[in-house]
Amino acid sequence: PETVNRPQANRRTLLVGTVTAAAGFDNRALVYKVEADRFENDFYNEYLAPPARLLADLTSQYLDQSSPRFRVVKTPGLTLAQYGLETYLEALYGDYTTGQPQAVVAIRYTLNDLRGSSPKVIWDKTYRHIAPMTDKSPQALVEAQGRALNEMLYELNRDISISR
């Protein structure tokens, strides 16, 4: 993803936690929606790693490079994070039930304030993007998912940068 801002010094720490994926989107196989209520897994074409792990890495890298407000820490370790980002992958599939095949990506992010005795939710938002595919190939699906994710990360960065 392209970065949107040049990070500033003295950013607050943000822990990007483990990503949780909805059932059906928690393995490496590409997923296709082939009928209104029927999905199929493509075990011949897979992601290099489970999508949840890839999403955690991409989100961390993007926000650390782009956010003017936050510096990302991957584990609490010796640095206690001031904020935490919970991520839930709701949908990640190719929709072949329409005339034009399209990639569907839906991710729910929850930003928490970790300062104080108990975490406090600052905001909770679901981002859903649909990106057209050039054809029904696995490569076209992954490329379209990448475009949708880029848009989401841009919006996420904007939203957390203006949150109080």
Side-chain angles (χ1 to χ4, degrees):
E2 292 181 26
T3 57
V4 294
N5 296 313
R6 173 149 254 154
Q8 301 169 354
N10 301 325
R11 295 182 294 165
R12 295 184 170 125
T13 55
L14 173 70
L15 174 63
V16 176
T18 304
V19 174
T20 306
F25 307 110
D26 54 354
N27 62 54
R28 291 175 43 183
L30 298 180
V31 178
Y32 308 111
K33 182 176 182 179
V34 294
E35 292 178 6
D37 294 323
R38 190 166 71 96
F39 292 81
E40 291 182 357
N41 288 338
D42 181 350
F43 295 106
Y44 295 104
N45 294 288
E46 299 180 329
Y47 300 102
L48 295 174
R53 192 170 106 211
L54 296 171
L55 181 58
D57 290 344
L58 289 170
T59 302
S60 295
Q61 290 170 8
Y62 185 87
L63 292 177
D64 195 46
Q65 293 172 5
S66 301
S67 177
R69 184 172 178 198
F70 294 107
R71 177 178 58 86
V72 174
V73 294
K74 296 197 180 190
T75 59
L78 298 175
T79 304
L80 297 176
Q82 297 165 311
Y83 296 87
L85 186 68
E86 296 177 35
T87 307
Y88 182 69
L89 177 61
E90 294 181 354
L92 182 69
Y93 61 90
D95 186 350
Y96 298 153
T97 62
T98 62
Q100 166 81 29
Q102 52 195 13
V104 177
V105 182
I107 303 170
R108 180 179 177 182
Y109 289 104
T110 305
L111 181 65
N112 297 295
D113 186 339
L114 303 179
R115 301 168 298 175
S117 59
S118 62
K120 179 179 137 187
V121 174
I122 296 172
W123 61 253
D124 181 87
K125 182 175 179 180
T126 298
Y127 299 83
R128 181 179 174 86
H129 282 272
I130 298 172
M133 296 169 50
T134 55
D135 57 51
K136 291 186 176 183
S137 70
Q139 180 179 347
L141 172 58
V142 172
E143 288 171 357
Q145 288 172 337
R147 288 192 311 276
L149 182 59
N150 279 341
E151 292 177 27
M152 284 183 185
L153 291 175
Y154 177 86
E155 290 176 19
L156 171 66
N157 184 38
R158 180 197 63 215
D159 291 347
I160 66 171
S161 293
I162 61 174
S163 64
R164 301 264 172 220

